[in-house]
Amino acid sequence: MSSNDRTLPKGVTAADFDKAMREIRAIVGAEHVLVDEEPLAPYNKIMMPVADAQHAPSAAVMPDGVEEIQRIVKVANTYRIPVYPVSTGKNIGYGSAAPVQRGQIVLDLRRMNRILDVDAELCTALVEPGVTYQQLYDYLQENKLPLWFSCPAPSAIAGPVGNMVDRGVGYTPYGEHFMFSCGMEVVLADGEVLRTGMGAMENSNTWQVFKWGYGPTLDGIFTQSNYGIVTKMGMWLMPAPPDFRPFCIQYPNETDITKIVDALRPLRIAMVIPNAVVIAHTLWEAPCTPVKRADYFTGPGAIPDDAVLKIQADHGIGAWNVYAGLYGTKETNDANWKIIEAVAAGTGGTIITEEASRGSQALQYRFDLMKGKPNLGEFGLYNWRGGGGSVWFAPVSQAKGTETLKQMKMAKEILGKYGFDYVGEFIVGWRDMHHVIDLLYDRSDETQTKNAYACYDELLHTFANEGYGMYRASTAFAEKVAATYGPVKRDVEKRLKKALDPNNIIAPGRCGISL
């Protein structure tokens, strides 16, 4: 490979880059520094509808501790080389492990995979960034601890630190993950180590039980940002309830979304339903059933409504499929179950219990997620169209029926204009709904790839014009999404960046933040 073919950080010479790599190899060991094309392949852009070169890394480095990270950031400051931290690198649909800008060094924290503490009495855990949800689940099972946690859909391979830092969500009553984190350890750009909350005190034993400490609460600035590298995180676990009663309510019409949301919102706010309610559209359920798109439609454009209706009829799928659960004692769940039955009957829904769902792949993975059991059931989505392209569009809406119907119609119209299907769901919410749409396309098809980018761009700006912001976004659209939140917020973020990372070496461009 000639020097002209090498991927280098912007503004860094090959000679300086090689010097930096030699110094980093001395810190972590040569076997934990990757610079050649083939071993770097897992860190390349995978699903995003942009050119591969746009997010190509220059190297990947795998430290095994806080001290090594401190030494690495000092090297990065010396040579002005940006590092892009990832925990497990499985941020599927939002960018995976690829750096936000070409040439950044991926700081892969997967070797830091130690479960440092689990307190069964206080229901807390302290973990490193490389710990996966599956690893934590196995630990709890092996030690016979009656504790659950909340995890996202790709949970078996993803981890709690990365998901929380990206403000991901899950499906148990602890589904708002940042809300149920408690205490961080962060390596700052100058190499200093900050412990947030009570962790800042020497000999503190309340780091994982009291979130706030004294003074300004700092944890939030290290989520969806690039102000530091999170190396430890506390999280709250929930006691396994004596009685867990998951259920699905199916509805026959797309317009039913209005009465679904308006009927369930009061139950969610009052905590009759304590977990993240999911309202999944037919085409989210179909590929996880599994059903193949090609069996119902092979023509150009989006799948027509009559084909969607046939899928519903053939496979017993609702136009909307509501997933939730009751968590409590048998007595409390018996009482609340009567409320659920009344709501379903009053809104025209059909309840499917866990017992009645036996044999349904789509329902079982949902019920497992609602008790914090990791799985990969949702990966069936990627077989729907085929071709491996996926970019998730995730605007927030109010938990009002009319708002969700409006968003669904807007999205469906724009997706159809570019020939893509509406594959969406509304999730979580006490007073909000996260509207998650998986824009699936064939990345081996150049036209579809270009259309996917243009479609996402139109979705983003159309929704922003209506006042709908994104709660999370693909790294390919970080700058555009950040711009929709206005100049004052961005200016404050830039001032924080300048104060904490004056050489701009931690993931510049992440969430649109850079100097």
Side-chain angles (χ1 to χ4, degrees), residues 485-499:
Y485 279 82
V488 176
K489 179 174 182 291
R490 301 203 71 190
D491 180 59
V492 171
E493 291 168 348
K494 193 169 184 176
R495 281 189 268 169
L496 286 170
K497 183 69 172 173
K498 192 171 184 179

PDB file of all heavy atoms in Angstrom, residues 485-499:
ATOM      1  N   TYR A 485     -31.327  21.251  16.273  1.00  0.00           N
ATOM      2  CA  TYR A 485     -31.584  21.691  17.641  1.00  0.00           C
ATOM      3  C   TYR A 485     -31.176  23.145  17.891  1.00  0.00           C
ATOM      4  O   TYR A 485     -31.259  23.626  19.017  1.00  0.00           O
ATOM      5  CB  TYR A 485     -30.900  20.757  18.638  1.00  0.00           C
ATOM      6  CG  TYR A 485     -31.701  19.489  18.886  1.00  0.00           C
ATOM      7  CD1 TYR A 485     -31.634  18.406  18.017  1.00  0.00           C
ATOM      8  CD2 TYR A 485     -32.547  19.390  19.988  1.00  0.00           C
ATOM      9  CE1 TYR A 485     -32.382  17.256  18.224  1.00  0.00           C
ATOM     10  CE2 TYR A 485     -33.303  18.248  20.221  1.00  0.00           C
ATOM     11  CZ  TYR A 485     -33.213  17.187  19.334  1.00  0.00           C
ATOM     12  OH  TYR A 485     -33.967  16.044  19.551  1.00  0.00           O
ATOM     13  N   GLY A 486     -30.711  23.843  16.861  1.00  0.00           N
ATOM     14  CA  GLY A 486     -30.507  25.280  16.969  1.00  0.00           C
ATOM     15  C   GLY A 486     -29.116  25.701  17.401  1.00  0.00           C
ATOM     16  O   GLY A 486     -28.361  24.923  17.983  1.00  0.00           O
ATOM     17  N   PRO A 487     -28.767  26.993  17.142  1.00  0.00           N
ATOM     18  CA  PRO A 487     -27.385  27.460  17.337  1.00  0.00           C
ATOM     19  C   PRO A 487     -26.974  27.657  18.798  1.00  0.00           C
ATOM     20  O   PRO A 487     -25.803  27.495  19.128  1.00  0.00           O
ATOM     21  CB  PRO A 487     -27.387  28.805  16.591  1.00  0.00           C
ATOM     22  CG  PRO A 487     -28.813  29.257  16.587  1.00  0.00           C
ATOM     23  CD  PRO A 487     -29.635  28.008  16.513  1.00  0.00           C
ATOM     24  N   VAL A 488     -27.900  28.019  19.677  1.00  0.00           N
ATOM     25  CA  VAL A 488     -27.490  28.299  21.069  1.00  0.00           C
ATOM     26  C   VAL A 488     -27.024  27.015  21.753  1.00  0.00           C
ATOM     27  O   VAL A 488     -25.964  26.983  22.397  1.00  0.00           O
ATOM     28  CB  VAL A 488     -28.665  28.937  21.845  1.00  0.00           C
ATOM     29  CG1 VAL A 488     -28.266  29.142  23.310  1.00  0.00           C
ATOM     30  CG2 VAL A 488     -29.064  30.271  21.217  1.00  0.00           C
ATOM     31  N   LYS A 489     -27.794  25.959  21.600  1.00  0.00           N
ATOM     32  CA  LYS A 489     -27.405  24.678  22.195  1.00  0.00           C
ATOM     33  C   LYS A 489     -26.049  24.232  21.647  1.00  0.00           C
ATOM     34  O   LYS A 489     -25.176  23.784  22.399  1.00  0.00           O
ATOM     35  CB  LYS A 489     -28.473  23.624  21.900  1.00  0.00           C
ATOM     36  CG  LYS A 489     -28.172  22.226  22.449  1.00  0.00           C
ATOM     37  CD  LYS A 489     -29.346  21.301  22.224  1.00  0.00           C
ATOM     38  CE  LYS A 489     -29.089  19.908  22.808  1.00  0.00           C
ATOM     39  NZ  LYS A 489     -28.064  19.171  22.067  1.00  0.00           N
ATOM     40  N   ARG A 490     -25.854  24.397  20.374  1.00  0.00           N
ATOM     41  CA  ARG A 490     -24.593  23.960  19.759  1.00  0.00           C
ATOM     42  C   ARG A 490     -23.420  24.812  20.251  1.00  0.00           C
ATOM     43  O   ARG A 490     -22.313  24.309  20.430  1.00  0.00           O
ATOM     44  CB  ARG A 490     -24.704  24.014  18.235  1.00  0.00           C
ATOM     45  CG  ARG A 490     -25.824  23.137  17.683  1.00  0.00           C
ATOM     46  CD  ARG A 490     -25.587  22.771  16.254  1.00  0.00           C
ATOM     47  NE  ARG A 490     -24.496  21.831  16.136  1.00  0.00           N
ATOM     48  CZ  ARG A 490     -23.943  21.482  14.982  1.00  0.00           C
ATOM     49  NH1 ARG A 490     -24.384  22.017  13.862  1.00  0.00           N
ATOM     50  NH2 ARG A 490     -22.963  20.619  14.941  1.00  0.00           N
ATOM     51  N   ASP A 491     -23.668  26.081  20.468  1.00  0.00           N
ATOM     52  CA  ASP A 491     -22.593  26.948  20.943  1.00  0.00           C
ATOM     53  C   ASP A 491     -22.159  26.550  22.358  1.00  0.00           C
ATOM     54  O   ASP A 491     -20.965  26.514  22.669  1.00  0.00           O
ATOM     55  CB  ASP A 491     -23.058  28.406  20.913  1.00  0.00           C
ATOM     56  CG  ASP A 491     -21.987  29.350  21.403  1.00  0.00           C
ATOM     57  OD1 ASP A 491     -20.887  29.376  20.797  1.00  0.00           O
ATOM     58  OD2 ASP A 491     -22.215  30.031  22.411  1.00  0.00           O
ATOM     59  N   VAL A 492     -23.134  26.239  23.211  1.00  0.00           N
ATOM     60  CA  VAL A 492     -22.809  25.801  24.577  1.00  0.00           C
ATOM     61  C   VAL A 492     -22.018  24.493  24.530  1.00  0.00           C
ATOM     62  O   VAL A 492     -21.022  24.313  25.241  1.00  0.00           O
ATOM     63  CB  VAL A 492     -24.096  25.627  25.409  1.00  0.00           C
ATOM     64  CG1 VAL A 492     -23.783  24.972  26.752  1.00  0.00           C
ATOM     65  CG2 VAL A 492     -24.769  26.977  25.627  1.00  0.00           C
ATOM     66  N   GLU A 493     -22.450  23.583  23.667  1.00  0.00           N
ATOM     67  CA  GLU A 493     -21.736  22.297  23.535  1.00  0.00           C
ATOM     68  C   GLU A 493     -20.294  22.532  23.074  1.00  0.00           C
ATOM     69  O   GLU A 493     -19.359  21.869  23.543  1.00  0.00           O
ATOM     70  CB  GLU A 493     -22.482  21.399  22.549  1.00  0.00           C
ATOM     71  CG  GLU A 493     -23.826  20.912  23.075  1.00  0.00           C
ATOM     72  CD  GLU A 493     -24.701  20.269  22.003  1.00  0.00           C
ATOM     73  OE1 GLU A 493     -24.375  20.391  20.805  1.00  0.00           O
ATOM     74  OE2 GLU A 493     -25.712  19.658  22.369  1.00  0.00           O
ATOM     75  N   LYS A 494     -20.118  23.489  22.178  1.00  0.00           N
ATOM     76  CA  LYS A 494     -18.767  23.777  21.671  1.00  0.00           C
ATOM     77  C   LYS A 494     -17.893  24.393  22.763  1.00  0.00           C
ATOM     78  O   LYS A 494     -16.702  24.092  22.879  1.00  0.00           O
ATOM     79  CB  LYS A 494     -18.873  24.718  20.468  1.00  0.00           C
ATOM     80  CG  LYS A 494     -17.606  24.861  19.671  1.00  0.00           C
ATOM     81  CD  LYS A 494     -17.867  25.582  18.364  1.00  0.00           C
ATOM     82  CE  LYS A 494     -16.614  25.645  17.511  1.00  0.00           C
ATOM     83  NZ  LYS A 494     -16.881  26.255  16.188  1.00  0.00           N
ATOM     84  N   ARG A 495     -18.496  25.247  23.593  1.00  0.00           N
ATOM     85  CA  ARG A 495     -17.722  25.849  24.683  1.00  0.00           C
ATOM     86  C   ARG A 495     -17.299  24.784  25.690  1.00  0.00           C
ATOM     87  O   ARG A 495     -16.184  24.826  26.228  1.00  0.00           O
ATOM     88  CB  ARG A 495     -18.559  26.944  25.354  1.00  0.00           C
ATOM     89  CG  ARG A 495     -18.557  28.246  24.547  1.00  0.00           C
ATOM     90  CD  ARG A 495     -19.194  29.376  25.339  1.00  0.00           C
ATOM     91  NE  ARG A 495     -20.612  29.490  25.077  1.00  0.00           N
ATOM     92  CZ  ARG A 495     -21.446  30.245  25.789  1.00  0.00           C
ATOM     93  NH1 ARG A 495     -20.994  30.916  26.824  1.00  0.00           N
ATOM     94  NH2 ARG A 495     -22.713  30.327  25.478  1.00  0.00           N
ATOM     95  N   LEU A 496     -18.182  23.843  25.968  1.00  0.00           N
ATOM     96  CA  LEU A 496     -17.807  22.739  26.858  1.00  0.00           C
ATOM     97  C   LEU A 496     -16.670  21.918  26.249  1.00  0.00           C
ATOM     98  O   LEU A 496     -15.729  21.512  26.938  1.00  0.00           O
ATOM     99  CB  LEU A 496     -19.025  21.842  27.109  1.00  0.00           C
ATOM    100  CG  LEU A 496     -20.109  22.381  28.050  1.00  0.00           C
ATOM    101  CD1 LEU A 496     -21.338  21.492  28.000  1.00  0.00           C
ATOM    102  CD2 LEU A 496     -19.564  22.463  29.475  1.00  0.00           C
ATOM    103  N   LYS A 497     -16.768  21.682  24.947  1.00  0.00           N
ATOM    104  CA  LYS A 497     -15.724  20.899  24.267  1.00  0.00           C
ATOM    105  C   LYS A 497     -14.371  21.612  24.376  1.00  0.00           C
ATOM    106  O   LYS A 497     -13.350  20.978  24.659  1.00  0.00           O
ATOM    107  CB  LYS A 497     -16.121  20.693  22.800  1.00  0.00           C
ATOM    108  CG  LYS A 497     -15.152  19.820  22.000  1.00  0.00           C
ATOM    109  CD  LYS A 497     -15.187  18.380  22.459  1.00  0.00           C
ATOM    110  CE  LYS A 497     -14.368  17.481  21.525  1.00  0.00           C
ATOM    111  NZ  LYS A 497     -14.266  16.113  22.072  1.00  0.00           N
ATOM    112  N   LYS A 498     -14.393  22.907  24.167  1.00  0.00           N
ATOM    113  CA  LYS A 498     -13.145  23.673  24.215  1.00  0.00           C
ATOM    114  C   LYS A 498     -12.529  23.633  25.612  1.00  0.00           C
ATOM    115  O   LYS A 498     -11.303  23.575  25.766  1.00  0.00           O
ATOM    116  CB  LYS A 498     -13.424  25.124  23.806  1.00  0.00           C
ATOM    117  CG  LYS A 498     -12.177  25.937  23.554  1.00  0.00           C
ATOM    118  CD  LYS A 498     -12.526  27.290  22.942  1.00  0.00           C
ATOM    119  CE  LYS A 498     -11.245  28.063  22.599  1.00  0.00           C
ATOM    120  NZ  LYS A 498     -11.581  29.360  21.982  1.00  0.00           N
ATOM    121  N   ALA A 499     -13.385  23.640  26.629  1.00  0.00           N
ATOM    122  CA  ALA A 499     -12.882  23.626  28.006  1.00  0.00           C
ATOM    123  C   ALA A 499     -12.336  22.257  28.393  1.00  0.00           C
ATOM    124  O   ALA A 499     -11.321  22.158  29.088  1.00  0.00           O
ATOM    125  CB  ALA A 499     -14.008  24.026  28.953  1.00  0.00           C
TER     126      ALA A 499
END
